[in-house]
Amino acid sequence: MIQKSKYIYYLFLIFLSFSVLAQGQKNDRIKNSSWQSAPFEVVNSNYKTFKMTQYAHVFSGSKHNVVRIAPELQGLKGVELPLDKYKNGTNTPLKLKFKEPVQVLIGIFQEKNNAEYLQLNNQTNAKLVLENGATITGLPPINVYAISFPKGTHIINPERKGLFTVLGVIKNNQQIVSRNTEFPDGKLWNPTFIVEGFSDEKPLFEIIGGENKPVIDEGFPDAEGIQGGFEGGRVVKVGDTYHMFPTERAGEKGVEMYYDRVKTKIGHWTSKDAIHWKRQSTILQASGTYAITEDDNPMNDRRAAIWSYMPVFNEKANKWYGYYLAYTVHKEIQPNHSFGRIWRCESTVDGINGIGGPYKDMGIIMEPGLDSQPWEGRQGVASFFPYQVGDKWFGFYSGAYPFESWADYPKKSGKGWFVALAESNSLEGPWHRLNKGLEPIKTIHPSFVENPIVSQLPNGLYIAIFDGGPEGWGHHLPNMIGYTLSKDGINWGEARYLPIETKVDKWWDIMRTPLCLIPEGNDVYTIVYNAIDLKKRFHPTGMVKIKLNREVMESRLKELE
């Protein structure tokens, strides 16, 4: 009898487990499915509507965009309100016409005791349905309320002033499960940023497709012995062949993951389609030796880690030059990669087809010194890319982990990834920090620009494509590839960001560095990029195609004149 009772009890537990699982799956389906949209019309105003998706710009004339969104809101139609007018109470009333009873989803910013933001106070018709239901860059946390309206024409928020957002209109008989999505505060994203195709302006580039998975990944041919995958470098096209020079995070088997970033190589890979790659050779090999002192001391191996190889063809010398970064690496002090120096090497084989080398070192062209500035920080000089403007050469160089002043040297560093310009009369140098490097360029983004690569568009505009910064490791950055434009190659405009995942399956968690912007004809360009899948030690390489809009290109040129 005891055994039979125990058997029945176990059957009951199994049944209960399945019941709980089934109920959980049902709740998940409710949570993860969009609410059913109801049609509506905006009456007697020029307010536009928008589709509620990630990166949507929810206010007209504003750069604020959605970076977190509850799945229930996905795809609903919202209304763009003029941000400043609603904040100061000079807005035209929002009048909506409904063909049936509806619920209007209103986003209320949780900024207490602030007259700029609408507060519902004791409005009885408002039901809280999503606490922290969306995140909009640069703005306070959002609670989403459902407010019922009968069929007909109604003024939304007729008496109260203050900023809110209309995130959608849904059918009145929706089954709504109220919950807290626990999305973060939008003020963590500062400043706001412009995402191509989601703002009021027309995009310069359209994402037209690409590979829905990495083109080089763990276990691929020729990737054995590269423990940590790839990060940075450059791809160029010679004839019908792509040549890639990535930083290989080689590391060693059985050694901690961080060592992948120390024992690095610069490889040479080739491809006919930017999809199928074959490794040809090793261009450079780092020592992987940790520093023995905390400062920039010649006792330390200053080539412990090698990164960011940039091949540039020198037509005058008729040979390929390579510019690359060599670091001192300290095991305990952040950032571990410190006191970067830029080296130049050149191919021993003349001509455009000498790109594969071998290469010989020609010495250091830029390093920490008397003309360094505190903003270059403990990590700088952290990258370099040269490009020609007229009869002069300019080069983006970077710094990271800035010192507030030299009194903070060598260990007390802050956060920020900055670029500035150096100039020279030739690719060989000498290179000098433009304006003595007093200030970094902050017109592109005030706190993060990494590894810019410069080329020119068909109308002569200079374009720099760069790593826009991670959303991860405590950072709230765009997590997309960025680009910036310049008419003269010296003054650079505000960054725009490319939402690759809108046309390519998102296999990555953290987007990192673009390696090229290669014209393929018919205004189509190829981008090869590195990204991180947090489930893997290996950082893969991807590929995407984008298409240039010439009409927008010309309008951007006029804006810069």
Side-chain angles (χ1 to χ4, degrees), residues 18 40 153 168 172 179 210 239 316 319 362 416 427 432 507 509:
F18 276 111
F40 67 90
T153 300
N172 196 48
R179 64 190 184 98
K316 185 176 180 180
K319 63 178 60 180
M362 304 303 292
L427 277 170
H432 303 286
W507 51 262
D509 297 298

Side-chain angles (χ1 to χ4, degrees), residues 238-303:
V238 179
D240 63 353
T241 302
Y242 299 87
H243 295 262
M244 177 168 63
F245 297 84
T247 302
E248 298 173 350
R249 304 170 72 253
E252 289 182 7
K253 289 185 178 180
V255 180
E256 63 181 358
M257 182 176 174
Y258 183 79
Y259 196 58
D260 301 347
R261 305 181 68 241
V262 184
K263 192 67 172 291
T264 58
K265 297 179 182 179
I266 303 300
H268 174 211
W269 296 66
T270 60
S271 173
K272 293 294 186 180
D273 57 8
I275 300 172
H276 303 91
W277 291 90
K278 181 173 178 57
R279 194 177 191 277
Q280 300 295 337
S281 65
T282 298
I283 301 296
L284 295 161
Q285 169 73 65
S287 72
T289 303
Y290 284 107
I292 59 175
T293 72
E294 63 188 25
D295 59 344
D296 187 13
N297 193 312
M299 295 176 63
N300 300 323
D301 189 333
R302 289 172 168 172
R303 293 172 64 93

Side-chain angles (χ1 to χ4, degrees), residues 176-195:
I176 293 178
V177 178
S178 299
R179 64 190 184 98
N180 187 344
T181 64
E182 301 181 351
F183 287 148
D185 186 347
K187 289 184 289 186
L188 295 172
W189 280 262
N190 190 22
T192 55
F193 50 91
I194 302 171
V195 182

Side-chain angles (χ1 to χ4, degrees), residues 369-383:
L370 294 177
D371 56 349
S372 297
Q373 298 297 323
W375 68 263
E376 294 178 32
R378 183 175 172 87
Q379 196 170 69
V381 183
S383 71

Side-chain angles (χ1 to χ4, degrees), residues 108-112 119 132 140-143 145:
I108 301 298
F109 295 98
Q110 299 308 293
E111 190 83 325
K112 304 298 183 184
Q119 301 298 322
N132 301 305
I142 299 171
N143 285 348
Y145 290 81

Side-chain angles (χ1 to χ4, degrees), residues 206 326-327 541:
E206 177 191 358
Y327 279 127
T541 296

Side-chain angles (χ1 to χ4, degrees), residues 423-487:
E423 61 179 338
S424 175
N425 291 323
S426 71
L427 277 170
E428 293 82 8
W431 290 88
H432 303 286
R433 289 165 171 82
L434 191 64
N435 299 325
K436 297 183 180 180
L438 293 175
E439 292 291 337
I441 299 169
K442 293 189 176 182
T443 55
I444 303 171
H445 186 282
S447 64
F448 198 103
V449 178
E450 192 169 33
N451 294 317
I453 294 176
V454 180
S455 55
Q456 282 185 279
L457 296 178
N459 67 348
L461 273 176
Y462 293 89
I463 181 169
I465 188 167
F466 62 92
D467 176 355
E471 185 183 330
W473 308 313
H475 303 293
H476 296 278
L477 291 159
N479 204 33
M480 287 178 279
I481 293 169
Y483 76 86
T484 174
L485 300 174
S486 172
K487 182 183 178 183

Side-chain angles (χ1 to χ4, degrees), residues 313 317-320 347-355:
F313 187 68
N318 192 35
K319 63 178 60 180
W320 285 92
S347 176
T348 60
V349 179
D350 289 346
I352 194 76
N353 293 318
I355 188 169

